Amino acid sequence: MTARNGDTIGTAHITTPDGVALRVRSAGDPSRPVVLIASACGMPAELCDAWLAFLGRDHHALTWETRGLFGGPHGTGEEPEAFDAMGHRVVDQISDILAILDHYQVPRAHLMGLCGGAVLALRMAAEHADRVASTSLWHGDFDLGADSPKTSHQRNLQALMEIAAESRQSAAMVHGAVPRNATADLPPDVADLVLHPFRDAETFYRYSLLNGALMAEDIRGALPRVKAPALVVTSEDDQTAHPAGSHAVAAALARSRLHVEPHGDHLSVFRAGDGLTAVAGKFLTETGTP
C-alpha cells in the first residue's frame, strides 16, 4: 500500500524513556496540527501510508510501529532478553504515544485509532485528556466485559494468543496454524504487511503478549472519562471486529458521533478510500483539531 499523488512520507527512529526503539512514519508539515495514528498492533507502519498521504495535506500525520516487534534503525527486533525486560502492558504502549508527542514537542493531538489501536486511543483520551484534542475510533477491537460482542475471528485469535503468550514453547506449538486460519484470501498488495505478526514463532510470541493485552483490556471504565469529541466508525458487516462493540462505545461516550458504512472491514479502512477520508476530514475540520 503506497502513498498517493506523490506525497512524501518519511521515517524516523526515536527511543522511549524506558529505552525502547520505535520506528515512526510521518507526512506533512511539522508546523501543522498533528494527527497521530495508533494502528493495528504489530502491523508495519507502511500499512498506514494511504492515511498518512491524505492527512499530511493539511496536518502533520504520524504513526509508529509496536514496541518490541520491529526494533531500531536497521529494522532488527530487540534480542529476546531485551524484549522480556520491556513492558508489554497497555500502559506501556500508551507511554509510547506520550514519547512520540514529547519527541515532536506536540502539546495536543488528534488520535486516530485503528482496530486494537482504538483501545490505545480511548485509554489515552481518558488518562491524558490534556494531550488529546479529539479522537476517532475505526473498527475498534473493543472488550466490554463478560458479555462483550465478539466475532468468531476475535474469539479464535484471542484464544490462540492466550496460549501463545504463556511461553515461547507454546507460541511455537500454535504458530503454524495461525496464518492458515486467520489470513486466507489476503490481497497481494497487503499480504506481506498483514502477515508480519505471524512470520515466525518469536514474532508471534511477542505479538501475542502485546496484542493479547489490548484484546483483553476492558475499556468500560475509561469511557465516562473521555471528554474530547469522538468519531466512532464501523460497518454493518465487519467480520473482524464486531460492529456492536463500536455501537456500544459510541453510546457511552459523552461527545461522540457514530458513522456506519454499509460494508467494510479492517483492510478497507487501511485503504483510505474517498468515502472514509471524507468522513475523517469533515470530523477534523468541525472539531478544529487540535
Side-chain angles (χ1 to χ4, degrees), residues 210-236:
L210 290 155
N211 196 44
L214 289 172
M215 292 190 76
E217 180 79 356
D218 186 338
I219 50 87
R220 289 177 295 175
L223 297 175
R225 294 186 285 134
V226 177
K227 306 304 181 184
L231 170 69
V232 183
V233 180
T234 187
S235 72
E236 295 180 0

Side-chain angles (χ1 to χ4, degrees), residues 16-108:
T16 67
D18 61 339
V20 177
L22 298 179
R23 180 172 178 256
V24 180
R25 204 152 166 84
S26 65
D29 186 343
S31 68
R32 292 177 175 172
V34 169
V35 178
L36 180 59
I37 304 172
S39 186
C41 181
M43 297 299 161
E46 285 81 359
L47 198 59
C48 290
D49 276 2
W51 277 110
L52 290 175
F54 168 74
L55 294 166
R57 298 171 192 171
D58 298 308
H59 298 80
H60 187 204
L62 301 165
T63 191
W64 79 99
E65 291 173 331
T66 307
R67 58 173 36 221
L69 287 174
F70 297 90
H74 304 294
T76 56
E78 290 84 353
E79 293 299 318
E81 295 80 6
F83 174 81
D84 293 345
M86 72 174 60
H88 312 125
R89 302 166 298 168
V90 172
V91 67
D92 299 305
Q93 298 181 62
I94 290 174
S95 73
D96 295 338
I97 297 177
L98 293 168
I100 293 167
L101 294 181
D102 290 345
H103 175 82
Y104 287 95
Q105 299 181 329
V106 178
R108 299 175 79 229

